[in-house]
Amino acid sequence: MDAKPSLDLVRSLTDEHVLRALMEHRRLTRAELAARTGISKPTVSESVRRLCAAGLVADTGERTTGRGRAGSYYALAGDAGCALVVSVAPDGVVVEALDAYGDVVGRAAEDVVRPARPPQVVAAVEAAVRAARRGGVRFRTAVVSAADPVDRATGRLVHLADAPFLLGELSLQEVLAGSVDGPVLVDNDVNWAARAERAAAPGLDDFVYLYLGEGLGCAVVNDRVVRRGHSGLVGEIAHVPTVGPDGAVVPFTEVFGLLGLRRPGSTAIDVDALRAAAGSAEGAAVLGPLARAVAGVLAAAVAFADPELVVVGGPWGIEPAVLDAVVTEAGRLHRPVEVRAARVADRPELAGARDQGLENLRSLVVDACR
């Protein structure tokens, strides 16, 4: 016979259901909590009493109106804290303060130069965090998206050869340690974008997310999990061998130099020049070699990851002419693969990091009642 759960466990689970219902619906009466959770009214009332005593839930002072006995509305206590969400990208640093309801209650942005160096990025992050901390908000956890490889063991941003953005290594965990009470999670922007895409497409369990912008990136999702590899460098595709404009085998990143599509004095891809070239009357001279190079990278991804499909994102990756050319070339591969544009086009890396920040914050609030 299975052992009955202990009274403490039952109370803990009840408190969790009540807290999560309040996070989802902002304010509820005890009767509404019972209806939302499927827990009896007396049990919910006891849970509310415990949570109020623990300082996790508070009576809002509002009452129901109309016929019958008035009910009190309850909500999370005012000091539930926030999650800090940070994006470090070539177009600047963005910092958001996210409360347990999922609302952005503070936001700030700072420009960075390109290519960036660690001291400049640190200064921009610290300035944005100060600006986003409105009313002395408490940051209980942080999630960081960085447009650079992230070492899995240390969380440090790693400088690789030909990196177009950050020149040097940097620990954003150390930078944020004085601003955040709890854990700081750091991952690269393409992995966060892939998580956002997965959330936007229920049932999408196995795919490759190809990011095509100033930099080149890839995320591999198997069984709904973003694969990071031994050191966190899964998807660093810049140096994957592919076919160049003249048919020779070259690293993927070199294709853009050979096509004259790099920013002056940088390995960063000139997105505006690429778009202009792709949309010109002579666009085939660029689109053909470009699509064949991308397809060469996809062939490697298909061989090693066996995805259901390939999702293409990034500023020039979702350009219709580029995407159409890539779809055509991907269909000619030895193992053809479906290719489509990303559904989350507006700052997908920030959307993915924001979702994780909210999940982490809510878990911390729930853990406080145990």
Side-chain angles (χ1 to χ4, degrees):
M1 178 180 293
D2 293 336
K4 292 184 178 180
S6 69
L7 181 58
D8 286 344
L9 177 59
V10 172
R11 286 174 173 170
S12 176
L13 290 173
T14 301
D15 292 349
E16 178 176 350
H17 285 305
V18 168
L19 284 170
R20 292 196 180 277
L22 289 173
M23 292 175 197
E24 189 69 27
H25 300 285
R26 298 177 181 272
R27 64 165 200 168
L28 294 169
T29 65
R30 283 172 289 189
E32 290 170 338
L33 281 165
R36 297 285 184 183
T37 62
I39 301 171
S40 70
K41 291 181 181 178
T43 302
V44 163
S45 293
E46 280 299 306
S47 175
V48 169
R49 181 191 60 77
R50 285 193 301 272
L51 293 170
C52 285
L56 297 173
V57 167
D59 186 332
T60 66
E62 301 169 283
R63 302 290 183 266
T64 57
T65 58
R67 299 178 60 184
R69 183 178 178 181
S72 299
Y73 281 105
Y74 292 89
L76 296 181
D79 61 351
C82 288
L84 181 66
V85 182
V86 180
S87 171
V88 179
D91 58 354
V93 170
V94 176
V95 169
E96 294 180 345
L98 189 71
D99 69 15
Y101 300 116
D103 292 337
V104 176
V105 295
R107 195 175 195 274
E110 292 285 333
D111 292 334
V112 292
V113 298
R114 292 180 288 185
R117 286 170 173 77
Q120 299 162 339
V121 173
V122 169
V125 169
E126 291 177 338
V129 170
R130 287 194 299 270
R133 191 194 290 273
R134 297 177 181 173
V137 65
R138 172 192 177 196
F139 291 128
R140 302 185 64 170
T141 185
V143 176
V144 181
S145 166
D148 235 41
V150 177
D151 183 274
R152 183 173 181 176
T154 66
R156 294 183 67 87
L157 306 191
V158 179
H159 177 69
L160 298 180
D162 295 326
F165 175 45
L166 183 65
L167 301 182
E169 296 193 358
L170 172 63
S171 174
L172 289 170
Q173 291 174 325
E174 295 175 4
V175 172
L176 297 173
S179 302
V180 181
D181 296 342
V184 177
L185 177 62
V186 183
D187 204 352
N188 78 65
D189 56 347
V190 185
N191 284 349
W192 289 121
R195 292 181 178 97
E197 191 69 20
R198 185 194 65 196
L204 183 58
D205 297 339
D206 298 274
F207 67 100
V208 163
Y209 188 103
L210 185 65
Y211 178 86
L212 303 174
E214 287 191 24
L216 305 166
C218 179
V220 176
V221 180
N222 287 138
D223 299 325
R224 296 187 63 79
V225 176
V226 176
R227 301 301 176 183
R228 301 186 66 198
H230 171 68
S231 58
L233 302 183
V234 167
E236 291 301 325
I237 56 172
H239 290 275
V240 170
T242 190
V243 59
D246 61 356
V249 175
V250 296
F252 188 27
T253 185
E254 291 297 326
V255 171
F256 304 90
L258 294 171
L259 290 173
L261 296 175
R262 281 182 170 174
R263 287 179 171 271
S266 170
T267 58
I269 296 165
D270 189 330
V271 175
D272 291 337
L274 192 155
R275 283 172 166 163
S280 68
E282 298 78 24
V286 169
L287 286 175
L290 198 59
R292 286 191 291 274
V294 172
V297 173
L298 294 185
V302 170
F304 283 97
D306 188 27
E308 174 187 352
L309 61 84
V310 171
V311 175
V312 179
W316 61 268
I318 59 175
E319 282 286 308
V322 173
L323 188 64
D324 288 347
V326 171
V327 168
T328 298
E329 289 296 332
R332 294 170 177 161
L333 295 176
H334 177 67
R335 290 172 58 184
V337 61
E338 179 185 350
V339 177
R340 68 160 172 83
R343 294 183 179 179
V344 184
D346 183 19
R347 299 301 298 261
E349 76 291 347
L350 194 57
R354 192 184 295 125
D355 287 348
Q356 188 66 56
L358 179 61
E359 180 181 328
N360 292 354
L361 175 62
R362 288 180 169 180
S363 294
L364 288 172
V365 173
V366 168
D367 288 346
C369 74
R370 292 172 178 161

